[in-house]
Amino acid sequence: MRAVRFDEFGGPEVLRIVEIPAPHPGPGEVRIAVLGAGVNASDWTKREGLMDPGLPQYLGYEAAGVVDEVGEGVSDTMLGDRVFGFCPDGRAQADLAVLAHYAPIPAGLDAQAAAALPSAVETATRALDQLGVQGGTVLINGASGGIGSAAVQLAVARGARVIGIAGPRNAEYVRDLGADPVAYGEGVVERVRRMVPGGVDRALDIAGNGVLPELILLAGGPDRVLTVADVDGAAAYGVVFSRGDGGRALHALDDLGVLLAAGRFCVPDVQAFPLAEVARAQKLSRRGGFRGKIVLVPGE
């Protein structure tokens, strides 16, 4: 089967499509014929040598597709089912992938859109769980991105009023997600306080753009703030940094299915690229500045 791999660190030009043996699922796992695999910032940080120093490396932690093989303990009745979820060996950008944690793709949702959801929804759910969000007022910095837009909708579903910090051009989009938009930049504390004079109950930093002091001020202390993007700032200001390796919110996929069925979650726009154009997809991901999610499609 084909898979994305790089044998040296560098720019997108180091990415290769290689032939490797097909994987097989272990106990409790399923293998899927991949219909879509998500592209994330972790892909280019790995490619640039900023994470794992080992070589070679493969890419992809989230995917959606059709079950074509099941592991021990998984019913054969799942064969042919459409599922989405997490690929533990990080080789989801391939023709076939093994999923260890998965859920049915909700009716009416295409596989490419489903492939864009697991990482963003799990990260947002984990952050809201750790913050203890159940109602109240939540300030989300970076509300228009993939994780941020998921966090806004999930917080609203928990009964929270959400204030979403985003760029001015994304204000209407943030409002459509269910949040009250506030513009980035100097004076953000004053703008938020005009909306909520007493401050907010919790604050979540998705963007990692250096606003933790302002979030702490608005939330009333570092214990009411969490970041998924600013490691150095978290250490400097005593804010919790949420790590996926500290325990994933695996219930997020099943919870999402309920919200989608009820029409309470809007999926992001998807930009799809053929697997062979992974370098072009990563260039776009690295550049940023777009709304939605990038997905690789092996069959194209």
Side-chain angles (χ1 to χ4, degrees), residues 275-288:
L275 189 69
E277 295 184 20
V278 59
R280 190 159 69 94
Q282 276 202 24
K283 286 179 183 178
L284 178 58
S285 175
R286 182 70 171 90
R287 185 168 70 242

Side-chain angles (χ1 to χ4, degrees), residues 21-62:
H24 297 285
E29 298 177 335
V30 299
R31 189 179 74 181
I32 60 170
V34 177
L35 297 177
V39 174
N40 295 290
S42 61
D43 294 340
W44 58 260
T45 55
K46 287 179 66 176
R47 190 201 71 227
E48 294 179 3
L50 302 177
M51 294 177 65
D52 185 346
L55 289 171
Q57 291 190 39
Y58 297 84
L59 295 172
Y61 288 98
E62 60 180 350

Side-chain angles (χ1 to χ4, degrees), residues 155-240:
V156 169
R158 297 180 182 211
R161 178 190 179 186
V162 179
I163 311 296
I165 302 175
R169 66 187 180 91
N170 288 318
E172 195 59 36
Y173 174 65
V174 171
R175 186 175 288 109
D176 289 343
L177 293 174
D180 296 318
V182 173
Y184 281 121
E186 185 177 352
V188 68
V189 171
E190 290 72 23
R191 289 191 290 276
V192 172
R193 280 188 168 157
R194 282 198 292 270
M195 302 177 72
V196 279
V200 299
D201 298 305
R202 300 284 189 272
L204 171 57
D205 172 38
I206 304 293
N209 55 351
V211 300
L212 287 181
E214 289 88 344
L215 300 187
I216 291 169
L217 188 63
L218 288 162
D223 59 319
R224 295 172 175 266
V225 180
L226 181 143
T227 180
V228 300
D230 190 350
V231 178
D232 294 337
Y237 298 108
V239 168
V240 171

Side-chain angles (χ1 to χ4, degrees), residues 75-95:
S75 173
D76 288 345
T77 60
M78 284 202 66
L79 293 170
D81 285 359
R82 299 190 322 142
V83 300
F84 67 134
F86 299 103
C87 180
D89 65 3
R91 300 186 182 192
Q93 294 175 13
D95 291 315

Side-chain angles (χ1 to χ4, degrees), residues 282-299:
Q282 276 202 24
K283 286 179 183 178
L284 178 58
S285 175
R286 182 70 171 90
R287 185 168 70 242
F290 62 92
R291 194 166 69 208
K293 186 67 179 281
I294 301 170
V295 169
L296 295 175
V297 183

